[in-house]
């Protein structure tokens, strides 16, 4: 699967690079050199991944490293395949945006086209120093997998959830989280969840060995502690905002491993900083999603829509779109009650391997009644190089890599922590009503949950078409809001 991705990317890249030589008129003086022009770009945008011991397949620290790959570097940057950054500019302004300017792209392109000159040795820049310790300073608590997890040399990617007790005697307020991969050759990304229901603990049959989980740790979660992908920076909340860790919670560390060709072991860690004072703002998630997914084999424009309405004023601080390999395009907008539209994120070339959470530079204030609407498009044809099935087969909602998902986790703050419970009651009711008809066949539900869901469907599916239609949904939402939900 992977070689095809690169082939298609290079197909694009070669085309994009073609005009380079055609209109070249620059004088000799303008030829960029490595020492003066290119090294600073690489050091600021590439070396945090392209250095020894990091995820990228080669280092880009010295002139020799870069010069022998000049053409390839020009091609992958022109195609905006590197640095990896999926969010479309103009749709949300995010922290740590990895995006080269047109000027930087031109510099690299011209440098490669002119034979990649090294330049004046006096201008040689000092390669950046990287700390191997905690990037955000010493944490208050370090938690880790209880034992190393062994991975085979070869095979499909491994998705595993490890359950780590946090041993909080009372509710705690997390102000900063840093994930530190144990073995960067195999850890591709990680998502951190909190579970105070014991569900995850029950699923981990052998303590410390984790359990298989692709989409998430299960349906009921008490919140999240962010995620990590190569190049990510630690998650830090603004003053007055904290993730509350309910006492007795477990941290569920979901790891996506990409096997390296050699047997490997991993023991990843999380460093947490707490704030002593309780938060002054409420922090919670609005989950938007739809589980009615049934993509015919060969279908290349399958659209899944979903929405949820803010039950009170809120500020959006982050967004985490989630789907599997068939999804190509993800768009999430906030539709305000006054009719205006605030774009939240647009990913035009979704890549499951580069998922992550996106945090806004400044919070986006949205009034009560704002509809968060998502539209995801899937390509289940052979033309999709990421399609895990060849020939394509019918794909339904589910947790496996060969299933699909359509979720957007929107991280919001509320005026006070006291509002979180009400917000969650409303948001959970909307979410359950939205996914009810789609999750009925899912293996993720226990027999008891399945019976409950079927009962609800029987009551609220007035026209008996086996689905909760948009006009049937409000009654179900109202009913669920009054139910004691777990
Ligand atoms: C966030 C980490 C990260 C950053 C930042 C990054 N790379 Fe990469 N790069 C990778 C990884 C990982 C790969 C291997 C391919 C993959 O897994 O997608 C890669 C592959 C490449 C390749 C080989 C492509 C291929 O198909 O073989 C080139 C060339 C490259 N990067 C250049 C760059 C340049 C130039 C920059 C900066 C402008 C950069 N990268 C920034 C992680 C990164």
């Amino acid at each position: 699967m992977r070689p095809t991705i690169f082939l298609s990317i290079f197909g694009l890249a070669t085309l994009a690079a073609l005009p380079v030589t055609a209109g070249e008129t620059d004088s000799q003086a303008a030829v960029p050199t490595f020492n003066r022009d290119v090294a600073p770009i690489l050091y600021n945008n590439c070396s945090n991944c392209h250095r020894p011991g990091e995820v990228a397949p080669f280092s880009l620290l010295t002139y020799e490293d870069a010069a022998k790959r000049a053409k390839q570097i020009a091609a992958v940057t022109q195609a905006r395949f590197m640095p990896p950054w999926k969010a479309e500019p103009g749709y949300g302004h995010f922290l740590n945006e990895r995006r080269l300017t047109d000027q930087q792209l031109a510099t690299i392109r011209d440098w490669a086209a002119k034979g990649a000159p090294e330049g004046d040795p006096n201008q040689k820049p000092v390669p950046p120093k990287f700390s191997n310790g905690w990037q955000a300073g010493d944490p208050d608590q370090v938690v880790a997998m209880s034992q190393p997890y062994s991975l085979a040399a070869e095979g499909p990617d491994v998705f595993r959830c490890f359950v780590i007790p946090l041993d909080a005697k009372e509710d705690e307020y997390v102000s900063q989280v840093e994930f530190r991969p144990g073995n960067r050759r195999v850890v591709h990304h990680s998502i951190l969840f909190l579970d105070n229901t014991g569900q995850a603990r029950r699923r981990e049959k052998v303590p410390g060995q984790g359990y298989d989980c692709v989409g998430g740790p299960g349906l009921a979660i008490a919140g999240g502690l962010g995620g990590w992908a190569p190049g990510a920076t630690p998650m830090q909340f603004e003053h007055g905002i904290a993730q509350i860790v309910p006492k007795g919670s477990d941290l569920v560390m979901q790891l996506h491993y990409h096997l390296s060709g050699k047997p490997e072991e991993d023991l990843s860690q999380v460093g947490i900083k707490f704030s002593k004072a309780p938060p002054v703002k409420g922090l919670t998630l609005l989950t938007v999603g739809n589980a009615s997914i049934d993509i015919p084999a060969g279908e290349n424009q399958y659209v899944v829509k979903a929405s949820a309405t803010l039950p009170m004023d809120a500020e959006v601080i982050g967004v985490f779109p989630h789907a599997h390999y068939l999804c190509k395009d993800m768009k999430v907008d906030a539709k305000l009650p006054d009719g205006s539209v605030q774009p939240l994120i647009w990913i035009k070339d979704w890549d499951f391997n580069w998922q992550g959470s996106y945090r806004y530079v400044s919070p986006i204030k949205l009034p009560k009644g704002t509809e968060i609407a998502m539209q995801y498009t899937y390509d289940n044809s052979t033309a999709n190089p990421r399609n895990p099935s060849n020939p394509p087969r019918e794909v339904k909602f589910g947790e496996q890599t060969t299933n699909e998902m359509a979720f957007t986790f929107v991280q919001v703050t509320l005026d006070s922590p006291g509002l979180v419970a009400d917000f969650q009651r409303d948001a959970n009711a909307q979410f359950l009503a939205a996914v009810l008809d789609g999750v009925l066949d899912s293996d993720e539900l226990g027999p008891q949950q399945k019976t409950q869901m079927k009962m609800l469907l029987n009551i609220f599916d007035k026209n008996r078409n086996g689905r909760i239609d948009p006009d049937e949904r409000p009654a179900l939402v109202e009913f669920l809001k009054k139910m004691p939900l777990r």
Side-chain angles (χ1 to χ4, degrees), residues 294-304 325-329 348 375-385 387 392-393 395:
D294 187 354
I295 317 175
E299 167 71 58
N300 67 358
Q301 283 284 331
Y302 186 84
V303 175
V304 175
Y325 290 102
L326 297 184
C327 190
K328 305 263 313 193
D329 188 288
K348 285 184 177 170
Q375 175 168 324
Y376 290 5
T377 308
Y378 300 76
D379 180 354
N380 190 14
S381 72
T382 42
N384 180 355
N387 197 333
R393 57 180 190 81
V395 171

PDB file of all heavy atoms in Angstrom, residues 294-304 325-329 348 375-385 387 392-393 395:
ATOM      1  N   ASP A 294     -22.348   3.075   5.074  1.00  0.00           N
ATOM      2  CA  ASP A 294     -22.415   1.844   4.290  1.00  0.00           C
ATOM      3  C   ASP A 294     -21.955   2.202   2.884  1.00  0.00           C
ATOM      4  O   ASP A 294     -22.739   2.645   2.049  1.00  0.00           O
ATOM      5  CB  ASP A 294     -23.843   1.305   4.311  1.00  0.00           C
ATOM      6  CG  ASP A 294     -23.935  -0.064   3.642  1.00  0.00           C
ATOM      7  OD1 ASP A 294     -22.913  -0.523   3.078  1.00  0.00           O
ATOM      8  OD2 ASP A 294     -25.021  -0.662   3.672  1.00  0.00           O
ATOM      9  N   ILE A 295     -20.676   2.052   2.648  1.00  0.00           N
ATOM     10  CA  ILE A 295     -20.091   2.541   1.392  1.00  0.00           C
ATOM     11  C   ILE A 295     -19.975   1.390   0.396  1.00  0.00           C
ATOM     12  O   ILE A 295     -19.232   0.435   0.635  1.00  0.00           O
ATOM     13  CB  ILE A 295     -18.687   3.150   1.634  1.00  0.00           C
ATOM     14  CG1 ILE A 295     -18.694   4.025   2.898  1.00  0.00           C
ATOM     15  CG2 ILE A 295     -18.232   3.919   0.408  1.00  0.00           C
ATOM     16  CD1 ILE A 295     -17.339   4.573   3.281  1.00  0.00           C
ATOM     17  N   PRO A 296     -20.710   1.461  -0.715  1.00  0.00           N
ATOM     18  CA  PRO A 296     -20.622   0.388  -1.707  1.00  0.00           C
ATOM     19  C   PRO A 296     -19.204   0.276  -2.263  1.00  0.00           C
ATOM     20  O   PRO A 296     -18.498   1.282  -2.368  1.00  0.00           O
ATOM     21  CB  PRO A 296     -21.589   0.842  -2.813  1.00  0.00           C
ATOM     22  CG  PRO A 296     -22.431   1.914  -2.203  1.00  0.00           C
ATOM     23  CD  PRO A 296     -21.607   2.548  -1.127  1.00  0.00           C
ATOM     24  N   ALA A 297     -18.807  -0.943  -2.612  1.00  0.00           N
ATOM     25  CA  ALA A 297     -17.494  -1.147  -3.231  1.00  0.00           C
ATOM     26  C   ALA A 297     -17.442  -0.328  -4.520  1.00  0.00           C
ATOM     27  O   ALA A 297     -18.389  -0.322  -5.299  1.00  0.00           O
ATOM     28  CB  ALA A 297     -17.295  -2.627  -3.533  1.00  0.00           C
ATOM     29  N   GLY A 298     -16.361   0.400  -4.712  1.00  0.00           N
ATOM     30  CA  GLY A 298     -16.192   1.169  -5.945  1.00  0.00           C
ATOM     31  C   GLY A 298     -16.689   2.595  -5.864  1.00  0.00           C
ATOM     32  O   GLY A 298     -16.281   3.437  -6.653  1.00  0.00           O
ATOM     33  N   GLU A 299     -17.536   2.908  -4.889  1.00  0.00           N
ATOM     34  CA  GLU A 299     -18.086   4.269  -4.751  1.00  0.00           C
ATOM     35  C   GLU A 299     -16.956   5.254  -4.409  1.00  0.00           C
ATOM     36  O   GLU A 299     -16.237   5.035  -3.445  1.00  0.00           O
ATOM     37  CB  GLU A 299     -19.152   4.250  -3.659  1.00  0.00           C
ATOM     38  CG  GLU A 299     -19.612   5.602  -3.151  1.00  0.00           C
ATOM     39  CD  GLU A 299     -20.450   6.380  -4.146  1.00  0.00           C
ATOM     40  OE1 GLU A 299     -21.496   5.863  -4.564  1.00  0.00           O
ATOM     41  OE2 GLU A 299     -20.038   7.502  -4.502  1.00  0.00           O
ATOM     42  N   ASN A 300     -16.820   6.333  -5.193  1.00  0.00           N
ATOM     43  CA  ASN A 300     -15.687   7.229  -4.931  1.00  0.00           C
ATOM     44  C   ASN A 300     -16.076   8.599  -4.374  1.00  0.00           C
ATOM     45  O   ASN A 300     -15.227   9.456  -4.181  1.00  0.00           O
ATOM     46  CB  ASN A 300     -14.814   7.381  -6.177  1.00  0.00           C
ATOM     47  CG  ASN A 300     -15.535   8.105  -7.297  1.00  0.00           C
ATOM     48  OD1 ASN A 300     -16.709   8.457  -7.162  1.00  0.00           O
ATOM     49  ND2 ASN A 300     -14.840   8.319  -8.400  1.00  0.00           N
ATOM     50  N   GLN A 301     -17.351   8.819  -4.148  1.00  0.00           N
ATOM     51  CA  GLN A 301     -17.796  10.115  -3.609  1.00  0.00           C
ATOM     52  C   GLN A 301     -18.888   9.883  -2.579  1.00  0.00           C
ATOM     53  O   GLN A 301     -20.001  10.365  -2.735  1.00  0.00           O
ATOM     54  CB  GLN A 301     -18.376  10.986  -4.746  1.00  0.00           C
ATOM     55  CG  GLN A 301     -17.354  11.638  -5.641  1.00  0.00           C
ATOM     56  CD  GLN A 301     -16.691  12.831  -4.975  1.00  0.00           C
ATOM     57  OE1 GLN A 301     -17.266  13.499  -4.129  1.00  0.00           O
ATOM     58  NE2 GLN A 301     -15.437  13.098  -5.330  1.00  0.00           N
ATOM     59  N   TYR A 302     -18.609   9.104  -1.557  1.00  0.00           N
ATOM     60  CA  TYR A 302     -19.624   8.789  -0.562  1.00  0.00           C
ATOM     61  C   TYR A 302     -19.580   9.852   0.527  1.00  0.00           C
ATOM     62  O   TYR A 302     -18.547  10.063   1.163  1.00  0.00           O
ATOM     63  CB  TYR A 302     -19.354   7.414   0.026  1.00  0.00           C
ATOM     64  CG  TYR A 302     -20.426   6.921   0.958  1.00  0.00           C
ATOM     65  CD1 TYR A 302     -21.559   6.286   0.464  1.00  0.00           C
ATOM     66  CD2 TYR A 302     -20.306   7.090   2.334  1.00  0.00           C
ATOM     67  CE1 TYR A 302     -22.551   5.825   1.324  1.00  0.00           C
ATOM     68  CE2 TYR A 302     -21.284   6.633   3.195  1.00  0.00           C
ATOM     69  CZ  TYR A 302     -22.410   5.998   2.687  1.00  0.00           C
ATOM     70  OH  TYR A 302     -23.387   5.542   3.538  1.00  0.00           O
ATOM     71  N   VAL A 303     -20.702  10.543   0.722  1.00  0.00           N
ATOM     72  CA  VAL A 303     -20.722  11.668   1.646  1.00  0.00           C
ATOM     73  C   VAL A 303     -21.436  11.291   2.942  1.00  0.00           C
ATOM     74  O   VAL A 303     -22.511  10.704   2.915  1.00  0.00           O
ATOM     75  CB  VAL A 303     -21.417  12.883   0.996  1.00  0.00           C
ATOM     76  CG1 VAL A 303     -21.563  14.023   1.997  1.00  0.00           C
ATOM     77  CG2 VAL A 303     -20.631  13.344  -0.228  1.00  0.00           C
ATOM     78  N   VAL A 304     -20.808  11.598   4.068  1.00  0.00           N
ATOM     79  CA  VAL A 304     -21.433  11.401   5.375  1.00  0.00           C
ATOM     80  C   VAL A 304     -21.548  12.774   6.040  1.00  0.00           C
ATOM     81  O   VAL A 304     -20.563  13.509   6.139  1.00  0.00           O
ATOM     82  CB  VAL A 304     -20.590  10.461   6.270  1.00  0.00           C
ATOM     83  CG1 VAL A 304     -21.200  10.373   7.669  1.00  0.00           C
ATOM     84  CG2 VAL A 304     -20.492   9.081   5.651  1.00  0.00           C
ATOM     85  N   TYR A 325      -9.194   4.893   6.672  1.00  0.00           N
ATOM     86  CA  TYR A 325      -8.389   5.063   5.458  1.00  0.00           C
ATOM     87  C   TYR A 325      -9.141   5.554   4.218  1.00  0.00           C
ATOM     88  O   TYR A 325      -8.532   6.071   3.290  1.00  0.00           O
ATOM     89  CB  TYR A 325      -7.694   3.748   5.108  1.00  0.00           C
ATOM     90  CG  TYR A 325      -6.597   3.382   6.076  1.00  0.00           C
ATOM     91  CD1 TYR A 325      -6.793   2.430   7.060  1.00  0.00           C
ATOM     92  CD2 TYR A 325      -5.362   4.027   6.012  1.00  0.00           C
ATOM     93  CE1 TYR A 325      -5.790   2.102   7.955  1.00  0.00           C
ATOM     94  CE2 TYR A 325      -4.352   3.714   6.907  1.00  0.00           C
ATOM     95  CZ  TYR A 325      -4.566   2.748   7.874  1.00  0.00           C
ATOM     96  OH  TYR A 325      -3.572   2.444   8.756  1.00  0.00           O
ATOM     97  N   LEU A 326     -10.464   5.329   4.146  1.00  0.00           N
ATOM     98  CA  LEU A 326     -11.173   5.681   2.911  1.00  0.00           C
ATOM     99  C   LEU A 326     -11.538   7.150   2.836  1.00  0.00           C
ATOM    100  O   LEU A 326     -11.854   7.667   1.776  1.00  0.00           O
ATOM    101  CB  LEU A 326     -12.456   4.855   2.772  1.00  0.00           C
ATOM    102  CG  LEU A 326     -12.270   3.342   2.656  1.00  0.00           C
ATOM    103  CD1 LEU A 326     -13.612   2.667   2.434  1.00  0.00           C
ATOM    104  CD2 LEU A 326     -11.325   3.013   1.497  1.00  0.00           C
ATOM    105  N   CYS A 327     -11.517   7.821   3.967  1.00  0.00           N
ATOM    106  CA  CYS A 327     -11.922   9.217   3.968  1.00  0.00           C
ATOM    107  C   CYS A 327     -10.885  10.055   3.221  1.00  0.00           C
ATOM    108  O   CYS A 327      -9.675   9.826   3.338  1.00  0.00           O
ATOM    109  CB  CYS A 327     -12.057   9.716   5.396  1.00  0.00           C
ATOM    110  SG  CYS A 327     -12.830  11.317   5.488  1.00  0.00           S
ATOM    111  N   LYS A 328     -11.375  10.998   2.394  1.00  0.00           N
ATOM    112  CA  LYS A 328     -10.467  11.851   1.630  1.00  0.00           C
ATOM    113  C   LYS A 328     -10.585  13.294   2.096  1.00  0.00           C
ATOM    114  O   LYS A 328      -9.604  14.000   2.181  1.00  0.00           O
ATOM    115  CB  LYS A 328     -10.849  11.848   0.131  1.00  0.00           C
ATOM    116  CG  LYS A 328     -10.920  10.515  -0.510  1.00  0.00           C
ATOM    117  CD  LYS A 328      -9.727  10.085  -1.259  1.00  0.00           C
ATOM    118  CE  LYS A 328      -9.045  11.000  -2.216  1.00  0.00           C
ATOM    119  NZ  LYS A 328      -8.105  10.260  -3.031  1.00  0.00           N
ATOM    120  N   ASP A 329     -11.806  13.735   2.299  1.00  0.00           N
ATOM    121  CA  ASP A 329     -12.052  15.149   2.489  1.00  0.00           C
ATOM    122  C   ASP A 329     -12.927  15.334   3.725  1.00  0.00           C
ATOM    123  O   ASP A 329     -13.921  14.650   3.897  1.00  0.00           O
ATOM    124  CB  ASP A 329     -12.779  15.667   1.238  1.00  0.00           C
ATOM    125  CG  ASP A 329     -12.922  17.172   1.218  1.00  0.00           C
ATOM    126  OD1 ASP A 329     -13.724  17.712   1.996  1.00  0.00           O
ATOM    127  OD2 ASP A 329     -12.226  17.817   0.405  1.00  0.00           O
ATOM    128  N   LYS A 348      -8.253  18.404   2.960  1.00  0.00           N
ATOM    129  CA  LYS A 348      -8.615  17.971   1.612  1.00  0.00           C
ATOM    130  C   LYS A 348      -7.986  16.645   1.237  1.00  0.00           C
ATOM    131  O   LYS A 348      -8.328  16.066   0.215  1.00  0.00           O
ATOM    132  CB  LYS A 348      -8.144  19.019   0.602  1.00  0.00           C
ATOM    133  CG  LYS A 348      -8.989  20.268   0.566  1.00  0.00           C
ATOM    134  CD  LYS A 348      -8.438  21.155  -0.550  1.00  0.00           C
ATOM    135  CE  LYS A 348      -9.253  22.394  -0.738  1.00  0.00           C
ATOM    136  NZ  LYS A 348      -8.554  23.330  -1.644  1.00  0.00           N
ATOM    137  N   GLN A 375     -18.990  17.447   7.157  1.00  0.00           N
ATOM    138  CA  GLN A 375     -19.244  16.698   5.931  1.00  0.00           C
ATOM    139  C   GLN A 375     -17.948  16.002   5.531  1.00  0.00           C
ATOM    140  O   GLN A 375     -16.941  16.650   5.258  1.00  0.00           O
ATOM    141  CB  GLN A 375     -19.713  17.653   4.828  1.00  0.00           C
ATOM    142  CG  GLN A 375     -19.860  16.931   3.508  1.00  0.00           C
ATOM    143  CD  GLN A 375     -20.580  17.755   2.464  1.00  0.00           C
ATOM    144  OE1 GLN A 375     -21.495  18.503   2.773  1.00  0.00           O
ATOM    145  NE2 GLN A 375     -20.163  17.620   1.220  1.00  0.00           N
ATOM    146  N   TYR A 376     -17.984  14.681   5.577  1.00  0.00           N
ATOM    147  CA  TYR A 376     -16.799  13.902   5.214  1.00  0.00           C
ATOM    148  C   TYR A 376     -17.095  13.154   3.911  1.00  0.00           C
ATOM    149  O   TYR A 376     -18.196  12.641   3.727  1.00  0.00           O
ATOM    150  CB  TYR A 376     -16.471  12.862   6.300  1.00  0.00           C
ATOM    151  CG  TYR A 376     -15.943  13.427   7.608  1.00  0.00           C
ATOM    152  CD1 TYR A 376     -15.861  14.791   7.853  1.00  0.00           C
ATOM    153  CD2 TYR A 376     -15.508  12.555   8.612  1.00  0.00           C
ATOM    154  CE1 TYR A 376     -15.378  15.269   9.063  1.00  0.00           C
ATOM    155  CE2 TYR A 376     -15.017  13.034   9.823  1.00  0.00           C
ATOM    156  CZ  TYR A 376     -14.957  14.391  10.049  1.00  0.00           C
ATOM    157  OH  TYR A 376     -14.479  14.862  11.245  1.00  0.00           O
ATOM    158  N   THR A 377     -16.092  13.053   3.041  1.00  0.00           N
ATOM    159  CA  THR A 377     -16.268  12.340   1.771  1.00  0.00           C
ATOM    160  C   THR A 377     -15.279  11.179   1.693  1.00  0.00           C
ATOM    161  O   THR A 377     -14.096  11.331   2.028  1.00  0.00           O
ATOM    162  CB  THR A 377     -16.052  13.303   0.585  1.00  0.00           C
ATOM    163  OG1 THR A 377     -16.881  14.447   0.783  1.00  0.00           O
ATOM    164  CG2 THR A 377     -16.434  12.644  -0.724  1.00  0.00           C
ATOM    165  N   TYR A 378     -15.797  10.032   1.259  1.00  0.00           N
ATOM    166  CA  TYR A 378     -15.004   8.798   1.248  1.00  0.00           C
ATOM    167  C   TYR A 378     -14.844   8.280  -0.171  1.00  0.00           C
ATOM    168  O   TYR A 378     -15.751   8.405  -0.997  1.00  0.00           O
ATOM    169  CB  TYR A 378     -15.701   7.724   2.099  1.00  0.00           C
ATOM    170  CG  TYR A 378     -15.873   8.132   3.544  1.00  0.00           C
ATOM    171  CD1 TYR A 378     -16.864   9.051   3.889  1.00  0.00           C
ATOM    172  CD2 TYR A 378     -15.050   7.635   4.542  1.00  0.00           C
ATOM    173  CE1 TYR A 378     -17.016   9.449   5.213  1.00  0.00           C
ATOM    174  CE2 TYR A 378     -15.208   8.024   5.863  1.00  0.00           C
ATOM    175  CZ  TYR A 378     -16.193   8.936   6.194  1.00  0.00           C
ATOM    176  OH  TYR A 378     -16.339   9.334   7.492  1.00  0.00           O
ATOM    177  N   ASP A 379     -13.706   7.669  -0.427  1.00  0.00           N
ATOM    178  CA  ASP A 379     -13.432   7.080  -1.740  1.00  0.00           C
ATOM    179  C   ASP A 379     -13.127   5.590  -1.550  1.00  0.00           C
ATOM    180  O   ASP A 379     -12.056   5.227  -1.076  1.00  0.00           O
ATOM    181  CB  ASP A 379     -12.240   7.813  -2.379  1.00  0.00           C
ATOM    182  CG  ASP A 379     -11.893   7.249  -3.754  1.00  0.00           C
ATOM    183  OD1 ASP A 379     -12.496   6.227  -4.158  1.00  0.00           O
ATOM    184  OD2 ASP A 379     -11.015   7.842  -4.420  1.00  0.00           O
ATOM    185  N   ASN A 380     -14.090   4.766  -1.931  1.00  0.00           N
ATOM    186  CA  ASN A 380     -13.918   3.318  -1.781  1.00  0.00           C
ATOM    187  C   ASN A 380     -13.657   2.669  -3.142  1.00  0.00           C
ATOM    188  O   ASN A 380     -14.120   1.576  -3.419  1.00  0.00           O
ATOM    189  CB  ASN A 380     -15.171   2.726  -1.125  1.00  0.00           C
ATOM    190  CG  ASN A 380     -14.980   1.273  -0.717  1.00  0.00           C
ATOM    191  OD1 ASN A 380     -13.858   0.767  -0.671  1.00  0.00           O
ATOM    192  ND2 ASN A 380     -16.085   0.583  -0.446  1.00  0.00           N
ATOM    193  N   SER A 381     -12.917   3.384  -3.993  1.00  0.00           N
ATOM    194  CA  SER A 381     -12.589   2.819  -5.300  1.00  0.00           C
ATOM    195  C   SER A 381     -11.127   2.378  -5.309  1.00  0.00           C
ATOM    196  O   SER A 381     -10.384   2.652  -4.368  1.00  0.00           O
ATOM    197  CB  SER A 381     -12.821   3.867  -6.392  1.00  0.00           C
ATOM    198  OG  SER A 381     -11.813   4.860  -6.318  1.00  0.00           O
ATOM    199  N   THR A 382     -10.712   1.724  -6.374  1.00  0.00           N
ATOM    200  CA  THR A 382      -9.313   1.324  -6.493  1.00  0.00           C
ATOM    201  C   THR A 382      -8.417   2.542  -6.701  1.00  0.00           C
ATOM    202  O   THR A 382      -7.203   2.464  -6.518  1.00  0.00           O
ATOM    203  CB  THR A 382      -9.098   0.373  -7.679  1.00  0.00           C
ATOM    204  OG1 THR A 382      -9.859   0.862  -8.777  1.00  0.00           O
ATOM    205  CG2 THR A 382      -9.516  -1.037  -7.352  1.00  0.00           C
ATOM    206  N   ALA A 383      -9.018   3.686  -7.101  1.00  0.00           N
ATOM    207  CA  ALA A 383      -8.217   4.891  -7.330  1.00  0.00           C
ATOM    208  C   ALA A 383      -7.697   5.474  -6.016  1.00  0.00           C
ATOM    209  O   ALA A 383      -6.808   6.323  -6.033  1.00  0.00           O
ATOM    210  CB  ALA A 383      -9.049   5.938  -8.075  1.00  0.00           C
ATOM    211  N   ASN A 384      -8.236   5.029  -4.905  1.00  0.00           N
ATOM    212  CA  ASN A 384      -7.756   5.509  -3.605  1.00  0.00           C
ATOM    213  C   ASN A 384      -6.591   4.632  -3.157  1.00  0.00           C
ATOM    214  O   ASN A 384      -6.783   3.489  -2.764  1.00  0.00           O
ATOM    215  CB  ASN A 384      -8.901   5.460  -2.594  1.00  0.00           C
ATOM    216  CG  ASN A 384      -8.460   5.949  -1.212  1.00  0.00           C
ATOM    217  OD1 ASN A 384      -7.273   6.235  -1.000  1.00  0.00           O
ATOM    218  ND2 ASN A 384      -9.405   6.040  -0.298  1.00  0.00           N
ATOM    219  N   PRO A 385      -5.359   5.159  -3.206  1.00  0.00           N
ATOM    220  CA  PRO A 385      -4.185   4.331  -2.887  1.00  0.00           C
ATOM    221  C   PRO A 385      -4.188   3.850  -1.435  1.00  0.00           C
ATOM    222  O   PRO A 385      -3.460   2.924  -1.083  1.00  0.00           O
ATOM    223  CB  PRO A 385      -3.007   5.269  -3.143  1.00  0.00           C
ATOM    224  CG  PRO A 385      -3.559   6.641  -3.090  1.00  0.00           C
ATOM    225  CD  PRO A 385      -4.998   6.548  -3.507  1.00  0.00           C
ATOM    226  N   ASN A 387      -6.851   2.672   0.106  1.00  0.00           N
ATOM    227  CA  ASN A 387      -7.912   1.679   0.322  1.00  0.00           C
ATOM    228  C   ASN A 387      -7.300   0.374   0.836  1.00  0.00           C
ATOM    229  O   ASN A 387      -6.495  -0.247   0.150  1.00  0.00           O
ATOM    230  CB  ASN A 387      -8.661   1.431  -0.989  1.00  0.00           C
ATOM    231  CG  ASN A 387     -10.010   0.742  -0.762  1.00  0.00           C
ATOM    232  OD1 ASN A 387     -10.167   0.021   0.223  1.00  0.00           O
ATOM    233  ND2 ASN A 387     -10.947   0.962  -1.664  1.00  0.00           N
ATOM    234  N   PRO A 392     -11.874  -3.411  -3.872  1.00  0.00           N
ATOM    235  CA  PRO A 392     -12.670  -2.784  -2.821  1.00  0.00           C
ATOM    236  C   PRO A 392     -13.863  -3.649  -2.433  1.00  0.00           C
ATOM    237  O   PRO A 392     -14.369  -4.411  -3.248  1.00  0.00           O
ATOM    238  CB  PRO A 392     -13.172  -1.485  -3.476  1.00  0.00           C
ATOM    239  CG  PRO A 392     -12.267  -1.237  -4.610  1.00  0.00           C
ATOM    240  CD  PRO A 392     -11.797  -2.576  -5.076  1.00  0.00           C
ATOM    241  N   ARG A 393     -14.262  -3.566  -1.150  1.00  0.00           N
ATOM    242  CA  ARG A 393     -15.463  -4.273  -0.712  1.00  0.00           C
ATOM    243  C   ARG A 393     -16.356  -3.295   0.044  1.00  0.00           C
ATOM    244  O   ARG A 393     -15.914  -2.214   0.431  1.00  0.00           O
ATOM    245  CB  ARG A 393     -15.074  -5.467   0.158  1.00  0.00           C
ATOM    246  CG  ARG A 393     -14.249  -5.098   1.368  1.00  0.00           C
ATOM    247  CD  ARG A 393     -13.915  -6.350   2.180  1.00  0.00           C
ATOM    248  NE  ARG A 393     -13.339  -6.016   3.463  1.00  0.00           N
ATOM    249  CZ  ARG A 393     -14.036  -5.661   4.530  1.00  0.00           C
ATOM    250  NH1 ARG A 393     -15.333  -5.573   4.484  1.00  0.00           N
ATOM    251  NH2 ARG A 393     -13.434  -5.370   5.669  1.00  0.00           N
ATOM    252  N   VAL A 395     -18.063  -1.266   2.762  1.00  0.00           N
ATOM    253  CA  VAL A 395     -17.480  -0.866   4.039  1.00  0.00           C
ATOM    254  C   VAL A 395     -18.537  -0.223   4.928  1.00  0.00           C
ATOM    255  O   VAL A 395     -19.230   0.707   4.517  1.00  0.00           O
ATOM    256  CB  VAL A 395     -16.297   0.103   3.810  1.00  0.00           C
ATOM    257  CG1 VAL A 395     -15.818   0.696   5.132  1.00  0.00           C
ATOM    258  CG2 VAL A 395     -15.134  -0.619   3.139  1.00  0.00           C
TER     259      VAL A 395
END
